[in-house]
Amino acid sequence: MNTQRLPFLDGLRVAAFLLLIPYHVGMYYVTWDWHVKSPAASHVLEPFMLMSAPWRLGLLFLVAGAACHDLLARRGVAGTLKDRTKRLLLPLIFGMLVIVPPQTYFELLTKAPELMLGDGSYLSFWAVYLKPAHLCRGKECLDVPTWNHLWFVAYLWPYAVIATLVVAAARRLPWRPRPVAMPTWAWLLVPALPLIVARLAVLPHFPSTHNFVVDPYNHLIFGWLFALGWASRTPWAEGLWPHAQRARWPALVLAVLGWALWQTYAQGWLGLPAPPAVMVLQRTVWALMSWWAIVAACGFAQRLFATPRPWVRAVSKGVFCAYILHQTVIVLLTQALRPVALPWGLEALLVLLLTFGLCALAYLGLRRVPLVRGLVGVTAP
C-alpha cells in the first residue's frame, strides 16, 4: 500500500474548497434556482460560473478518494472508520440541525411564506424544522431537516466507509493489483468514459437529486471519481499523477475549448428543444470538459505545490470549517444587505469578502473551543 504523502493534494483541496465561496455567492445573482435570489439576478455571471461548475466537486471527490486511501494506510480499518465518522458524520448531523436551518428559513420566507413553519419567527421555525416534514407547493417539495450544501459530506462518508470495508475484504484475496500502463493521451480520454456514459444514458432518465437513496447519476459521477482517486494511490491508476503533470497544458486548452463550445450551445439552444444530435454532443462535451479541467488542475497543482508549504497546510486545516459555514454566511449576508439596495456588483464583492473574512474568524475562534470545534470540522490546534 502506498504511504508516500503527496504534498500537492493539500493545495488541490484548498483551491477546490475555496472555489465554492465565489460560486455560491454567484448563485445568488444568476437565474438558476437557489435558496434565495437577488432582485437583480441575470445571465451575466452564468458563463463564468460554468467555468468551474462541471468539475470543482468532482475534483474534491477525487482528492478525497486519494486522501482516504492514505488514511487507511496510516491508521488501518478501525482507525479510518473512526476518523471518517468523527470528521464527516458528526459535522453533517450538526450542520443539518444548526448550520443549515437559516438557509431554509429564508428560502421559505422569500419564496413560499405560506409554507413557513411555526409562527414566522426563526426560533419557532427552528423548533418545527427539527421534526421531519415534507413541504410541497405544487410539484416543488422541500424535506426538513435537510443538508443543502452539505450533501457532499453526506455522500463522502458512505463512500469512505464502503471503500474501506471493500479494500479490507479484498486484502484476503490471493491476487494483487497490477500496474495499468496507458499513454498520456489515453489518460485524457479513458477516465472520462464513465462520465460520458452517465450523462448520455443516466442523466436524461434520473436527474440529479442530491437524495442519497435516489440519485444514480451523481453516484456514478462522484463515486467513480472517488474510486479513481483511491486507485491513483495503487498500481491500478498511479499513472494518473505523472501523466496529469505532462498533460496539464493540453488538458487546460481542451477544457477551455470545451467551455467555449458549451457556451455556443447555451447561447443557441439552452431552454429550447435541441435536436437529439446536439444534446448528445453537449452532454459529451460537458463530461470531457469536466475531466480535462480535473486533469489540468492535478497537473498544475503538482508544479505549484511540489514541496510541502506551511501556509498551505495551515489553510488546509480551516477549509472544511469554511465549507460547512460558508453557504449559511452567504445567505445571511445577502438578506442583511438586501434593504440597503447596493448595486449588485458592489454587493456581490462585499458579500464575497465578508464571507471569506467571517469564515476565517469563525475558524480561528472555534478551533479553541473543544466541545464545538469537532462539530464544524476543525481538528485540535
Side-chain angles (χ1 to χ4, degrees):
M1 181 175 286
N2 196 340
T3 58
Q4 181 184 2
R5 181 175 178 81
L6 301 179
F8 61 84
L9 288 181
D10 284 328
L12 271 175
R13 183 170 176 268
V14 168
F17 268 124
L18 292 184
L19 269 175
L20 293 175
I21 293 180
Y23 185 86
H24 284 145
V25 170
M27 285 297 294
Y28 181 61
Y29 297 98
V30 296
T31 60
W32 309 334
D33 185 44
W34 201 55
H35 309 293
V36 292
K37 300 302 298 183
S38 168
S42 71
H43 298 288
V44 173
L45 293 178
E46 289 172 6
F48 304 99
M49 301 276 283
L50 286 171
M51 286 183 173
S52 66
W55 59 270
R56 55 192 172 77
L57 284 168
L59 176 61
L60 276 173
F61 277 103
L62 182 84
V63 172
C68 193
H69 172 281
D70 294 351
L71 182 65
L72 178 62
R74 296 194 310 271
R75 300 193 182 182
V77 175
T80 299
L81 295 177
K82 179 180 178 181
D83 178 273
R84 294 298 80 186
T85 298
K86 182 178 178 181
R87 289 276 291 155
L88 298 175
L89 188 57
L90 289 182
L92 172 63
I93 295 172
F94 179 77
M96 290 176 64
L97 299 180
V98 177
I99 305 298
V100 168
Q103 301 176 31
T104 307
Y105 174 76
F106 282 107
E107 181 173 5
L108 292 177
L109 190 65
T110 57
K111 290 184 177 181
E114 70 276 12
L115 299 180
M116 178 59 70
L117 304 174
D119 62 12
S121 69
Y122 179 74
L123 289 179
S124 174
F125 158 83
W126 188 39
V128 182
Y129 167 94
L130 297 176
K131 304 172 184 177
H134 190 62
L135 310 175
C136 292
R137 184 180 63 176
K139 294 183 178 180
E140 297 183 0
C141 294
L142 176 67
D143 293 322
V144 295
T146 183
W147 49 50
N148 282 7
H149 70 293
L150 298 182
W151 72 266
F152 167 75
V153 185
Y155 283 45
L156 184 56
W157 179 72
Y159 288 178
V161 170
I162 292 169
T164 299
L165 295 177
V166 168
V167 170
R171 288 176 179 174
R172 302 177 181 272
L173 301 177
W175 55 269
R176 291 292 180 266
R178 296 181 179 180
V180 175
M182 291 195 303
T184 299
W185 67 264
W187 282 100
L188 290 172
L189 294 176
V190 174
L193 294 179
L195 308 181
I196 295 172
V197 171
R199 288 201 68 85
L200 291 179
V202 180
L203 181 63
H205 308 288
F206 301 97
S208 172
T209 65
H210 293 158
N211 179 337
F212 186 88
V213 179
V214 189
D215 201 10
Y217 169 72
N218 278 328
H219 286 314
L220 287 172
I221 294 291
F222 299 123
W224 161 244
L225 290 171
F226 179 90
L228 182 59
W230 186 295
S232 74
R233 305 295 285 137
T234 74
W236 276 332
E238 61 187 0
L240 169 63
W241 305 112
H243 286 289
Q245 186 171 183
R246 295 188 195 109
R248 64 190 185 280
W249 281 110
L252 178 61
V253 171
L254 287 169
V256 172
L257 290 176
W259 171 79
L261 186 58
W262 214 90
Q263 289 305 311
T264 302
Y265 161 79
Q267 294 297 322
W269 295 102
L270 199 59
L272 300 175
V278 173
M279 293 301 299
V280 169
L281 177 62
Q282 71 92 351
R283 287 172 179 157
T284 302
V285 168
W286 182 279
L288 287 169
M289 176 174 56
S290 304
W291 177 243
W292 289 333
I294 289 172
V295 171
C298 291
F300 281 104
Q302 291 178 75
R303 302 288 290 186
L304 294 172
F305 308 106
T307 57
R309 300 189 180 185
W311 71 267
V312 175
R313 289 286 291 162
V315 175
S316 179
K317 292 180 179 179
V319 291
F320 188 50
C321 175
Y323 161 74
I324 291 172
L325 300 176
H326 80 280
Q327 186 159 290
T328 295
V329 172
I330 291 170
V331 169
L332 292 176
L333 286 172
T334 59
Q335 300 311 294
L337 290 172
R338 190 164 183 165
V340 183
L342 295 171
W344 76 264
L346 177 60
E347 181 185 72
L349 179 60
L350 186 58
V351 171
L352 181 65
L353 295 176
L354 286 174
T355 301
F356 273 112
L358 291 172
C359 287
L361 289 173
Y363 164 70
L364 293 173
L366 293 174
R367 67 175 180 166
R368 302 188 182 281
V369 183
L371 296 178
V372 177
R373 64 188 177 213
L375 298 177
V376 290
V378 179
T379 55

